[in-house]
Every structure is written in structure tokens, then in C-alpha cells.
Amino acid sequence: MNFKIRAATKEDCKEIHRMIMELAIYEKMLDQVTISHEDLERDGFGQNPFFECLVAEVPEEHKSKEGRTAVGYALYAWAYSTWNGRSIDLEDLYVMQEFRGKGIGKGLLRKVAEEGKKKQCQRMQFTVLDWNKSAREFYAAKGAVDLTESEGRHVISFHGQNLDNLANEAAKD
Amino acid sequence: MNFKIRAATKEDCKEIHRMIMELAIYEKMLDQVTISHEDLERDGFGQNPFFECLVAEVPEEHKSKEGRTAVGYALYAWAYSTWNGRSIDLEDLYVMQEFRGKGIGKGLLRKVAEEGKKKQCQRMQFTVLDWNKSAREFYAAKGAVDLTESEGRHVISFHGQNLDNLANEAAKD
């Protein structure tokens, strides 16, 4: 199938938001999602954007059952490894169910890697869920290393109230 | 003990590099480190920096055995959660062995959280090694959630040649 991968624009944010929700449903974590498409517009397309985003698009004649032509996205941010320097933090890589197995995910992943190499990045890091076997196999087949298995790395997070509490303690000092 | 936490400057990069090496030795991964202090100067203190950094400093009279006054650092980058928006990617938090247990690590962590809240961040994410029990307990006591344990999140990475291969495949398409 014909598809195109291009940089997202502000006008894509409603479709990106729709796909973020689809991915959260797939990951069974929709209750944790609070973001709006306005947040994406403000945070990704103003000055000093917080993320970069690619969209995968199919031509009109191949649109989805619901009439969508934006069928996948990759959202990432520039990060830093203190061991090796510039790094890509890949937050999401998603392809709609009915468009899987056509090389779109691979196309998105390669394009993120290519954008990273343009900035001399030495690493691309992200997380996957244990039970998401197809995603884990997809990345492993392309040469990714599972650092949780090989080094015992755990993902740790402060969020919402826990992050606020930490920040408020600082303000009190 | 008296200590001060402040934003790092370009002039701190040799000391930050020295502490990055100390942390890598502690993590038994020194062989993986390729970064130089010049890399840090270029990537953190030019236009569009790839990271932010805080340094913990003690007064001259409390300097380390080797005469150091920079005794800890926190290095982080702005990232993005597609569920909740702006996020902090905490790459390293380090305090020199002889200065631990004095609140310096807590001070650094709080200050990163505070900087994040100034930018309306909703999440701070990072990784720890399984065997580093003291670090894991430190974060847990402050309200961090271990997403590898609670959700089965794995850390996945492409680096070096594996990342180059992906990017080169994209260029060939």
C-alpha cells in the first residue's frame, strides 16, 4: 500500500489526539489520559516545542472504514544520554489496527531514526508494556535491546500529585 | 551541612563530566561511556540546548578529600507524555559518596521537580538499576511509582550501530 510519512502540523493535532486515545484504549489505560488536542497544538507547534511528531498518511482511495487518512504517528522529544550524548525519547509509535503489517510502523521508526541521526543522536529510548508481545518482537527484530531484561533497568515515575508534592517541598525550603 | 543548588554553567562541564564518570563506575558501566566535557559544553550551553543541569555545591571549608566543591548534579531534558502533556526526562541524579545522607540528593530532586512545575510538567520519568536498592528506596520514599513493577513497562533502546542501521534503511527508501 502507498503511504507517506511527513512532519505533523498544527492542523493534524485533532487526528493525532484521536490516535493517542486509540492507543490508550489498546493499552487499557484510557482512564489515565487527560490531554486535549489544544494541549498538543500549544506544546508541539509554538516556540521551543516540547515534542516532534511524524504522521503516516494514506491516499483517499485507501482511507479507513471511518474515513481516516491519517493512520499512524510517531511522537518523540530530544533527550540526552550522559554516556553517549544526544538522544531521542520516543514516546509513542502507533499504527491503526487495519493498517498494520504494511510497513508503516517500520517506516515511522526508520524516519525517527533518520531525523535523530541528522542531529547526531546516538540513542533512541522508549518503553513497551510486558504483555505487548507484538510490539516487543517488532522492536527486537530491528535490533533494539531490552534494557529491563539485559541490565535490570526499571522505569520510575513521579506524576500528578506526587510531582506537585516534591516541587512544593522545594518551594518551602 | 551547608550546600547550594544552582543551574550549571558551561564552566561546570569538566566537573559534571568527572561526576558522570564516577556514576558510571558506580553503575559498573564505565566501558559504555564515550562522552567528553566538550560534548556537554556544546550540547547543553548553546542555542536549543539538549539538556538542563543543576549542580550541588558545598563551601570551600567542606570540600571533598580531593578538593572538590561540586559534589552532585541532576541532568534532565524536557520531554512529553501523550497522556498528560509536558514531562521531565531525568537522566542522572548523583551525589558523591562522601556527601550522601545530607539531603543533597533530595534537594536536587526537589529542585528539578520545581523547575518542571514552572513549565507545567505533569510527569518526571527516569530509570534505575534493579540492584541499586538505595536509589530505588530513595525514590519510593518520595512517592515515585515503579512502572516496571506496577505496569510491566520495559525500557527499550536502539544505540550506536543499531540506530545507524535503522536510519540508513530510511535513507535507502
Side-chain angles (χ1 to χ4, degrees), chain B residues 38-64:
Chain B
E38 290 91 349
D39 294 332
L40 296 170
E41 289 170 4
R42 182 196 60 218
D43 293 337
F45 301 92
Q47 271 195 312
N48 304 317
F50 279 75
F51 64 84
E52 311 272 330
C53 191
L54 301 172
V55 167
E57 206 167 41
V58 293
E60 268 293 322
E61 64 265 31
H62 292 304
K63 67 188 176 194
S64 78

Side-chain angles (χ1 to χ4, degrees), chain A residues 10 40-51:
Chain A
K10 202 170 173 175
L40 295 169
E41 288 171 4
R42 181 196 59 218
D43 293 338
F45 301 92
Q47 271 195 312
N48 304 317
F50 279 75
F51 64 82

Side-chain angles (χ1 to χ4, degrees), chain A residues 98-114:
Chain A
E98 67 181 281
F99 293 90
R100 291 183 198 161
K102 302 177 193 307
I104 299 177
K106 188 164 66 178
L108 283 165
L109 188 69
R110 285 173 169 176
K111 186 73 177 164
V112 175
E114 196 186 23

Side-chain angles (χ1 to χ4, degrees), chain A residues 20 23-24 27 29 32-35 39-40 42-44 48 50-51 73 75-89 91-92 106-107 109-111 113-114 116-117 119 121-131 136 138-140 142-149 151-160 162-164 166-167 169-171 173, chain B residues 20 23-24 27 29 32-35 39-40 42-44 48 50-51 73 75-89 91-92 106-107 109-111 113-114 116-117 119 121-131 136 138-140 142-149 151-160 162-164 166-167 169-171 173:
Chain A
I20 288 171
L23 177 55
E27 292 190 328
M29 294 189 178
Q32 294 192 30
V33 182
T34 58
I35 207 161
D39 293 333
L40 295 169
R42 181 196 59 218
D43 293 338
N48 304 317
F50 279 75
F51 64 82
Y73 72 99
L75 191 144
Y76 59 101
W78 304 115
Y80 208 72
S81 157
T82 47
W83 294 354
N84 309 117
R86 300 176 184 188
S87 173
I88 306 157
D89 181 24
E91 177 69 17
D92 281 350
K106 188 164 66 178
L109 188 69
R110 285 173 169 176
K111 186 73 177 164
E114 196 186 23
K117 292 312 291 188
K119 290 204 186 262
C121 287
Q122 298 298 318
R123 182 185 76 173
M124 173 159 63
Q125 198 159 292
F126 49 103
T127 70
V128 293
L129 291 165
D130 196 64
W131 56 261
R136 292 176 64 192
F138 170 81
Y139 294 119
K142 279 153 198 68
V145 178
D146 184 325
L147 298 180
T148 299
E149 290 191 340
E151 297 180 352
R153 288 218 169 257
H154 287 230
V155 187
I156 309 285
S157 177
F158 287 92
H159 53 270
N162 286 335
L163 185 60
D164 289 349
L166 263 188
E169 285 174 22
D173 280 351
Chain B
I20 287 171
L23 177 55
E27 292 190 327
M29 293 187 177
Q32 295 192 30
V33 182
T34 58
I35 209 162
D39 294 332
L40 296 170
R42 182 196 60 218
D43 293 337
N48 304 317
F50 279 75
F51 64 84
Y73 72 99
L75 191 144
Y76 59 101
W78 305 115
Y80 208 71
S81 157
T82 48
W83 294 353
N84 309 116
R86 300 177 185 187
S87 173
I88 307 157
D89 181 24
E91 176 70 16
D92 282 350
K106 188 163 66 177
L109 189 68
R110 285 172 170 179
K111 185 72 178 165
E114 195 186 23
K117 292 312 291 187
K119 291 204 187 259
C121 288
Q122 298 298 319
R123 182 184 77 174
M124 173 159 63
Q125 198 159 293
F126 48 103
T127 69
V128 293
L129 290 165
D130 196 66
W131 57 260
R136 292 176 66 192
F138 170 80
Y139 294 120
K142 280 156 196 65
V145 177
D146 184 326
L147 298 179
T148 298
E149 291 191 339
E151 297 181 350
R153 289 218 169 258
H154 286 230
V155 187
I156 308 286
S157 177
F158 287 92
H159 53 267
N162 285 335
L163 184 60
D164 290 349
L166 264 187
E169 285 174 19
D173 279 350

Side-chain angles (χ1 to χ4, degrees), chain A residues 1-46:
Chain A
M1 183 184 293
N2 238 352
F3 64 88
K4 193 173 86 174
I5 289 169
R6 59 170 176 77
T9 67
K10 202 170 173 175
E11 288 63 43
D12 292 311
C13 287
K14 278 189 185 167
E15 283 298 282
I16 297 166
H17 184 258
R18 186 254 310 161
M19 292 190 278
I20 288 171
M21 303 300 270
E22 290 174 10
L23 177 55
I25 290 167
Y26 178 73
E27 292 190 328
K28 305 179 180 70
M29 294 189 178
L30 188 59
D31 57 323
Q32 294 192 30
V33 182
T34 58
I35 207 161
S36 68
H37 74 266
E38 290 92 347
D39 293 333
L40 295 169
E41 288 171 4
R42 181 196 59 218
D43 293 338
F45 301 92

